[in-house]
Every structure is written in C-alpha cells, then in structure tokens.
C-alpha cells in the first residue's frame, strides 16, 4: 500500500502534539481516507481532530507551541496553521458524535513511526461524508467532492464485502 505524500507531515505534527500535550489526534478528511485506502485522493490540507480544550481553554498554549515549531496561524476561526506550504486545520473531536453519531470509544488507534493517532473506519468515513453532504456550508462549497468521496467509499466497501 503506497504511503500518502502528506502522511510524514501529519506524523511530524502528531508527534509534536503527542510530546507536547499527550494528544492522540484523529487523522481526518481526505488524508485519513488516503491512509486507510492506499489511494491518492490529492488531499490539499491536513485535517486533524483534537480535544476541544486545546482550541478553547488551552488555545494560547497550543498556538504558541505550534508557532515555536514554525507553524504560522492562517485562520484563527478555523484553527488553521500553515508550514512549508501545507495547511493543518484542527477541529474538536468531541463534535464527531454530535455531527455524525460516532462515539470516541469506537475510534481505532494506529501507530506509525512510534506515533499514535486515531483513524476512522471506511463505514465511519461514509457516515461522516453523508453528514457533510447535509451541512449547509459543505453543500454549497464541497458538495461535488463529498459526493465523489461517498461514491469512492461505497465502491471500497463493496469490494471489501465481496
């Protein structure tokens, strides 16, 4: 299975989160789906879910840690940082349940290069993209890509079940 091109960047970031805050992040979005399927989906950024407290109560500390490592805050509202031309967007892992009905206890944990991170299953990705396809912002901005991903996941699940 080929390694997604942005995976080493995610692992570096996850290592920083693990070492600085004892965070086991969730590799989310297209890069997570790439990792799971081994298919190149041309992920344009790295989406990471972490505990809400780092985006609220501990935001200043979280931000300072990333900035010290060369990450530049690009969008504070979206908690997006960029480094070396790649953007990393952080969101609340707790919202996964209210958004898509996926409990944190049902998330798998992987280890690559001594870095632990969480990952959705194909079925969970299908649930997330179905929920996304009903979200107002995503319908206007990402609807075509979300529908393509749902179709892609459906094909992968079909192949897995045959």
């Amino acid at each position: 299975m080929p390694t997604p091109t942005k995976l080493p960047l995610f692992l570096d970031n996850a290592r920083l989160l693990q070492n600085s805050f004892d965070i086991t992040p969730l590799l989310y979005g297209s890069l997570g789906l790439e990792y799971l399927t081994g298919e190149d989906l041309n992920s344009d950024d790295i989406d990471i879910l972490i505990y809400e407290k780092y985006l609220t109560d501990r935001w200043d500390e979280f931000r300072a840690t990333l900035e010290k490592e060369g990450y530049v805050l690009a969008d504070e509202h979206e908690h997006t940082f960029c480094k070396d031309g790649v953007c990393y967007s952080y969101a609340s892992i707790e919202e996964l349940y209210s958004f898509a009905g996926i409990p944190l206890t049902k998330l798998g944990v992987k280890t690559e290069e001594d870095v632990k991170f969480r990952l959705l299953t194909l079925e969970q990705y299908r649930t997330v993209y179905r929920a996304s396809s009903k979200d107002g912002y995503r319908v206007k901005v990402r609807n075509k890509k979300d529908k393509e991903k749902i179709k892609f996941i459906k094909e992968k699940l079909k192949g897995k079940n045959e």
Side-chain angles (χ1 to χ4, degrees):
M1 179 182 311
T3 300
T5 55
K6 289 186 177 70
L7 184 66
L9 301 174
F10 165 75
L11 291 174
D12 286 345
N13 185 271
R15 186 176 291 107
L16 173 64
L17 299 178
Q18 186 175 301
N19 292 340
S20 300
F21 301 104
D22 198 28
I23 293 174
T24 303
L26 172 65
L27 176 56
Y28 200 57
S30 297
L31 184 60
L33 192 54
E34 281 184 22
Y35 178 84
L36 189 62
T37 64
E39 300 279 339
D40 184 1
L41 300 175
N42 297 313
S43 59
D44 51 1
D45 63 356
I46 299 175
D47 296 305
I48 303 168
L49 299 188
I50 61 175
Y51 286 109
E52 174 77 24
K53 67 183 177 184
Y54 296 102
L55 304 174
T56 55
D57 301 342
R58 296 183 65 183
W59 171 247
D60 291 339
E61 177 188 3
F62 183 79
R63 177 180 174 175
T65 299
L66 288 176
E67 288 176 339
K68 187 175 122 198
E69 296 298 320
Y71 294 84
V72 177
L73 183 63
D75 184 334
E76 188 162 13
H77 178 72
E78 295 293 327
H79 307 105
T80 299
F81 293 80
C82 297
K83 182 178 182 181
D84 299 329
V86 176
C87 291
Y88 302 73
S89 294
Y90 302 89
S92 168
I93 197 168
E94 289 93 340
E95 290 182 9
L96 193 55
Y97 184 75
S98 61
F99 179 69
I102 299 171
L104 300 183
T105 56
K106 297 294 183 186
L107 298 176
V109 177
K110 300 285 184 186
T111 303
E112 289 276 342
E113 299 176 19
D114 295 324
V115 177
K116 286 180 11 183
F117 60 95
R118 293 178 169 100
L119 189 68
L120 298 175
T121 64
L122 269 178
E123 292 84 359
Q124 290 168 333
Y125 261 109
R126 180 176 56 189
T127 301
V128 165
Y129 280 110
R130 282 181 175 163
S132 292
S133 70
K134 297 173 187 154
D135 181 62
Y137 164 79
R138 301 240 359 150
V139 167
K140 291 178 188 165
V141 177
R142 312 263 314 162
N143 195 32
K144 185 177 182 224
K145 285 189 174 188
D146 284 352
K147 284 184 179 177
E148 288 170 359
K149 290 215 177 76
I150 291 169
K151 182 179 176 193
F152 170 77
I153 293 166
K154 187 176 180 182
E155 289 169 5
K156 288 289 181 185
L157 285 169
K158 183 179 175 190
K160 183 178 157 185
N161 293 329
E162 289 180 347

